[in-house]
Amino acid sequence: MITRRRVVAGSAGALLLAGVAGSRAFGADETIADQLLALPGKRPLIKRSFRPPNFETPLADLRQQFTANDAFFVRYHLASIPEVDARTWRLRVAGASVQRPLELSLDELKRSFEHVKLAAVNQCSGNRRGLFTPRAGGVQWTYGAMGNAMWGGVRLRDVLNRAGVSKDALEVVLDGADQQVLPATPDFVKSVPVDRALDEHTLIAFEMNGRPLPHWNGAPARLVVPGWTATYWVKHLTSIRVEPKAFDGFWMKSAYRIPTARFAGARFASQENAETTPITEIMINSLVTSHTDGQRLDRGRPAELAGWAWDGGSGISTVETSLDEGRSWRPATLGEAPSAYSWHGFRVPLDTSKPGPQRISVRATGRNGARQPEQLTPNPAGYHHNIIQTLTLEVA
Amino acid sequence: MNAPLRCLAVLCSMLTASLALGASEDTIELHDAPDRDLVAARCSICHSVDYVPMNAPVFDRAGWQKSVRKMIDAFGAPISEDDAKRIVEYLGNNY
């Protein structure tokens, strides 16, 4: 058990680099400025909470095809977070539906299985919760509880096949080294359907953008479930269990659930009930990174609106912009993406010839036909915020 | 790195150092009102109390009540019924 003291020491080391990163409404009569703070090994990020550490990537750090490791968002549920020693770390593969339980060191994991790389968006289920109407309780993220990275590791499938998966396997249960402070608090343990675990794109990653995983992003190895929200991408992975029955832990049965049959996306049948079902795939979405709402443009100076579009892995078919509140749409230029699970760049020239305000909306459509909606689908936890973004730009 | 850039880097690191004071959870100040210390002591067993101002725009008294119940019932927070009432009272009145 790791003591709280150690974690507190980690957060006390955060550096305050700038007082104001923008401000948000805070209650009826006060505003609180976002704080930009640097965790050890990270550049300054928007601090949402110190302990457990929840730090959001500022928009300015989301402009690259791959989000820098030291700018990548940090999200924990529980505050006992060990600095895992890669030399003594072991990954255990076991469970009632495993034929030959395994225990692997990091070297063995790297040596024994084929190495693969995959570009994929890692997005928190609650990304943009702070923009939800009606408001939803929890970490009040805006746009930056997400990033895109080139993940390097081995296929979970290859590891599971080495251990031997029985025919009765239903779910694969994943646990990491981070723990609860109080024994009575449920440990953060997740499960995925066995077919998703055996998908060729589900990885045990030990690299991010060609470098070892940063501590705050799950060193020495984490799960990568491309196309699914980050709740399944268990960090500091230590235990993989294959089980013939549905896992009944708090983080599956009570948390990370959405109303049943209200959202598109993969079903998680063994965890579903009449009212709620686990969140699964990332919804079609886009983000303008070149400009922010209210920004001024110089009259007559060429300007371009740019950003990213992504979904749960079908890939992006079109990104369109509208200058008339969505009555008519024109296609933006879509860039090449390194994979269907990566975000895809888009750009469109802005008209700066006439002075005055202009409203510009952006919507993405996936290759599966799903399109960003105008309205949020209400859900108590504030998940799946993916509505069309509209910015007002002022030419002067 | 050329000389002007190096100079800039040194200046930046000095600025960083001068601003580095007070960037820990110990600097979070909850509104001064009865039972503030109780709230700080109980909530901070498991998490920093910046969760309180962060959720101030979201929760009314009923929302805080639900949140405190969740901490006790789902997360096993060691909070007596009497303390739970006082914590909800403080949060409802001040956030």
Side-chain angles (χ1 to χ4, degrees):
Chain A
M1 185 76 188
I2 309 302
T3 62
R4 195 187 130 206
R5 186 178 184 82
R6 201 162 152 189
V7 178
V8 172
S11 65
L15 292 179
L16 176 60
L17 286 186
V20 178
S23 63
R24 291 176 299 136
F26 238 82
D29 57 351
E30 57 180 327
T31 58
I32 291 193
D34 287 341
Q35 283 182 306
L36 280 175
L37 301 171
L39 287 165
K42 289 281 185 182
R43 71 179 77 170
L45 303 176
I46 303 167
K47 191 274 293 179
R48 295 290 171 221
S49 67
F50 280 107
R51 178 172 55 91
N54 286 295
F55 285 73
E56 172 170 348
T57 306
L59 193 68
D61 290 312
L62 293 173
R63 291 183 179 137
Q64 311 298 320
Q65 177 72 63
F66 293 113
T67 313
N69 288 7
D70 66 354
F72 219 91
F73 80 101
V74 175
R75 201 279 179 261
Y76 283 89
H77 299 83
L78 305 172
S80 183
I81 306 166
E83 295 262 2
V84 180
D85 182 345
R87 291 164 302 183
T88 57
W89 175 86
R90 293 291 182 277
L91 177 61
R92 290 176 182 85
V93 184
S97 297
V98 155
Q99 288 150 4
R100 298 173 296 278
L102 291 177
E103 189 174 299
L104 298 164
S105 68
L106 189 59
D107 278 347
E108 287 166 332
L109 186 73
K110 290 179 175 177
R111 246 194 349 252
S112 310
F113 303 96
E114 186 187 348
H115 286 205
V116 289
K117 285 186 189 295
L118 182 72
V121 167
N122 176 238
Q123 180 184 274
C124 177
S125 307
N127 193 30
R128 307 188 184 180
R129 177 184 290 121
L131 310 175
F132 237 82
T133 313
R135 301 294 299 251
V139 178
Q140 299 296 301
W141 304 109
T142 61
Y143 297 100
M146 67 174 306
N148 192 46
M150 182 67 80
W151 307 96
V154 301
R155 293 183 194 90
L156 175 59
R157 177 170 80 178
D158 293 347
V159 174
L160 291 178
N161 285 341
R162 175 77 55 96
V165 175
S166 304
K167 282 202 164 56
D168 66 355
L170 183 68
E171 293 186 3
V172 175
V173 183
L174 307 140
D175 192 9
D178 45 320
Q179 284 187 322
Q180 65 276 37
V181 175
L182 299 171
T185 305
D187 191 11
F188 186 72
V189 182
K190 299 293 293 187
S191 67
V192 294
V194 70
D195 59 345
R196 196 67 187 76
L198 293 172
D199 185 289
E200 64 171 318
H201 295 123
T202 302
L203 310 181
I204 300 168
F206 39 79
E207 282 182 4
M208 188 172 161
N209 298 322
R211 307 280 306 157
L213 281 180
H215 164 66
W216 300 111
N217 299 102
R222 76 179 302 171
L223 202 70
V224 167
V225 190
W228 285 36
T229 64
T231 183
Y232 298 100
W233 300 39
V234 173
K235 298 187 290 298
H236 317 291
L237 188 64
T238 53
S239 165
I240 300 173
R241 300 184 64 83
V242 188
E243 299 290 351
K245 57 185 197 317
F247 174 65
D248 67 355
F250 171 83
W251 299 98
M252 293 307 301
K253 291 293 179 194
S254 300
Y256 286 102
R257 297 182 73 90
I258 53 178
T260 299
R262 292 295 304 279
F263 293 94
R267 277 183 65 196
F268 194 157
S270 55
Q271 291 284 346
E272 188 167 304
N273 65 44
E275 288 80 41
T276 64
T277 193
I279 190 170
T280 56
E281 288 175 300
I282 296 169
M283 308 290 284
I284 178 84
N285 214 339
S286 63
L287 175 67
V288 173
T289 54
S290 61
H291 294 79
T292 54
D293 190 37
Q295 195 169 328
R296 285 167 66 104
L297 300 172
D298 290 339
R299 187 179 176 188
R301 177 181 288 189
E304 206 172 49
L305 194 80
W308 308 109
W310 65 96
D311 71 355
S314 87
I316 300 303
S317 123
T318 58
V319 175
E320 299 162 294
T321 58
S322 172
L323 297 169
D324 54 11
E325 307 290 334
R327 284 185 291 278
S328 64
W329 294 89
R330 288 189 310 176
T333 303
L334 198 58
E336 294 277 316
S339 93
Y341 297 103
S342 164
W343 60 32
H344 300 47
F346 68 84
R347 49 188 62 246
V348 65
L350 291 166
D351 179 4
T352 58
S353 62
K354 292 179 284 293
Q358 51 180 276
R359 300 259 296 162
I360 185 159
S361 308
V362 179
R363 77 172 182 196
T365 304
R367 291 195 185 124
N368 61 1
R371 176 173 279 170
Q372 283 184 261
E374 290 172 21
Q375 305 274 331
L376 287 169
T377 301
N379 67 96
Y383 296 141
H384 283 327
H385 186 298
N386 70 332
I387 55 174
I388 293 168
Q389 193 185 7
T390 300
L391 278 67
T392 301
L393 302 174
E394 182 81 26
V395 180
Chain B
M1 199 183 280
N2 62 30
L5 265 182
R6 200 177 312 125
C7 189
L8 188 66
V10 169
L11 273 173
C12 282
S13 66
M14 285 167 65
L15 186 66
T16 300
S18 69
L19 288 172
L21 298 167
S24 82
E25 70 171 276
D26 303 335
T27 62
I28 306 164
E29 281 201 29
L30 295 177
H31 293 318
D32 189 9
D35 286 330
R36 177 180 70 171
D37 293 348
L38 172 75
V39 170
R42 290 295 181 275
C43 300
S44 68
I45 294 170
C46 292
H47 62 82
S48 49
V49 292
D50 41 10
Y51 277 80
V52 170
M54 179 164 66
N55 280 289
V58 183
F59 292 145
D60 55 11
R61 183 177 298 264
W64 286 121
Q65 166 74 24
K66 209 172 150 189
S67 182
V68 170
R69 285 308 333 166
K70 182 179 175 183
M71 297 304 151
I72 297 167
D73 299 336
F75 294 119
I79 298 174
S80 70
E81 289 305 312
D82 180 54
D83 282 354
K85 270 189 207 136
R86 289 163 62 190
I87 290 168
V88 171
E89 189 68 14
Y90 171 87
L91 294 171
N93 287 341
N94 294 286
Y95 286 94

